[in-house]
């Protein structure tokens, strides 16, 4: 069975500092990995995805993610956090059969001024 | 349209009542997915469609939940005889294709509260 795990329920960062939100995956075959962000009372917004190719994927709002096959990780990063980045972040893997997304538990990012 | 649209935004039902939720996918997208978000974080897949055909229904509690995507109409998710545990936010997503590289774009969700 495929799965993703987000080991941290909450990440706290000071504005201007780099941020990392962790995600590890367990899949059979090649992983297709996604990051989404959810602002309060809003839907999920797509940030970026890894399909194949470069291990460093750049996405929306200055976010990037690093795919590491040996560590089965796909951590989300941003060099300089903004207060407006405070939200819930979800890592997901696309299911081999049927195309549904399998989500991690979510990580609440809090960026303080 | 350019975004996935979901109606209504909020829905309150007494236990045992019916609830019907609607989703209009992005124009040109052939695949529609329904997810249920409970307890703020946990996402559960319910069902997906390829145009008007059910593609994957492995997540559907079939005894009370049903869904349709008919031509020229919004897709719908219906819950007969709602229960307290159906209280959740229901998200619809659409994608151009079914390939694993395809991005799913989500609507704003419908918040269902069952009293």
């Amino acid at each position: 069975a495929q799965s993703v795990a987000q080991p941290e329920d909450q990440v706290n960062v000071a504005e201007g500092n780099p941020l990392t939100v962790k995600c590890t995956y367990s899949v059979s075959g090649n992983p297709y990995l996604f990051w989404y962000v959810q602002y309060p009372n809003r839907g999920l917004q797509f940030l970026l995805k890894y399909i194949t190719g470069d291990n460093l994927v750049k996405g929306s709002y200055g976010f990037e993610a690093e795919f590491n096959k040996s560590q089965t990780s796909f951590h989300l990063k941003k060099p300089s956090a903004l207060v407006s980045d405070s939200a819930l972040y979800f890592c997901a893997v696309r299911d081999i059969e049927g195309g549904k997304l399998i989500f991690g538990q979510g990580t609440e990012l809090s960026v303080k001024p | 349209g350019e975004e996935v649209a979901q109606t209504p935004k909020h829905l309150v039902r007494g236990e045992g009542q019916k609830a019907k939720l609607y989703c209009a996918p992005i124009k040109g997208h052939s695949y529609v997915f329904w997810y249920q978000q409970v307890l703020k974080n946990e996402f559960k897949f319910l069902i997906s469609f390829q145009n008007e055909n059910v593609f994957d229904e492995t997540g559907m509690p079939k005894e009370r939940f049903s869904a349709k995507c008919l031509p020229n109409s919004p897709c719908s998710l219906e819950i007969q005889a709602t229960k307290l545990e159906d209280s959740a936010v229901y998200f619809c997503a659409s994608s151009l294709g079914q390939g694993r590289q395809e991005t799913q774009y989500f609507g704003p969700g419908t918040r269902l509260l069952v009293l």
Side-chain angles (χ1 to χ4, degrees):
Chain A
Q2 302 185 95
S3 65
V4 289
Q6 295 178 241
E8 299 158 318
D9 288 338
Q10 183 150 15
V11 170
N12 298 308
V13 175
E15 190 175 28
N17 282 1
L19 70 87
T20 299
V21 183
K22 294 180 181 176
C23 172
T24 58
Y25 65 88
S26 174
V27 305
S28 48
N30 294 323
Y32 289 72
L33 297 158
F34 298 77
W35 275 103
Y36 286 86
V37 59
Q38 185 178 28
Y39 296 99
N41 301 312
R42 302 278 296 277
L44 291 172
Q45 291 181 34
F46 168 70
L47 282 177
L48 50 77
K49 65 183 174 185
Y50 173 82
I51 305 302
T52 187
D54 286 342
N55 290 341
L56 188 64
V57 180
K58 293 195 183 294
S60 307
Y61 313 122
F63 283 93
E64 56 191 28
E66 188 170 5
F67 174 72
N68 188 317
K69 190 172 183 178
S70 61
Q71 296 185 5
T72 61
S73 67
F74 187 54
H75 300 333
L76 182 70
K77 301 183 181 200
K78 188 172 182 183
S80 178
L82 300 172
V83 173
S84 56
D85 292 330
S86 298
L88 202 47
Y89 289 81
F90 289 93
C91 180
V93 65
R94 195 75 183 262
D95 189 38
I96 289 175
E97 302 170 12
K100 63 179 181 267
L101 287 169
I102 299 165
F103 286 90
Q105 309 93 304
T107 298
E108 187 154 4
L109 173 67
S110 177
V111 182
K112 295 279 193 271
Chain B
E2 294 291 324
E3 294 181 339
V4 176
Q6 288 188 250
T7 54
K9 258 183 137 171
H10 301 277
L11 194 55
V12 180
R13 288 289 179 265
E15 206 172 5
Q17 291 185 317
K18 185 171 76 175
K20 196 163 184 178
L21 292 60
Y22 297 91
C23 166
I26 292 171
K27 196 175 178 182
H29 282 195
S30 304
Y31 287 82
V32 170
F33 301 79
W34 284 98
Y35 295 88
Q36 180 193 52
Q37 186 182 26
V38 295
L39 298 173
K40 182 183 170 184
N41 287 13
E42 183 188 334
F43 277 89
K44 183 190 170 191
F45 166 76
L46 295 174
I47 190 169
S48 61
F49 288 84
Q50 178 186 9
N51 297 313
E52 60 266 28
N53 304 307
V54 173
F55 189 75
D56 179 357
E57 57 182 349
T58 52
M60 280 288 266
K62 291 185 185 169
E63 57 278 6
R64 295 184 299 109
F65 284 59
S66 63
K68 291 179 193 175
C69 279
L70 299 175
N72 303 313
S73 295
C75 296
S76 64
L77 177 70
E78 190 167 339
I79 309 172
Q80 302 282 347
T82 52
K83 295 184 177 180
L84 295 177
E85 64 257 32
D86 298 332
S87 294
V89 183
Y90 291 82
F91 288 102
C92 172
S94 72
S95 68
L96 206 53
Q98 179 264 335
R100 293 180 71 201
Q101 74 282 2
E102 296 284 351
T103 300
Q104 290 182 23
Y105 295 92
F106 283 75
T110 293
R111 187 174 294 273
L112 172 66
L113 178 61
V114 181
L115 302 173

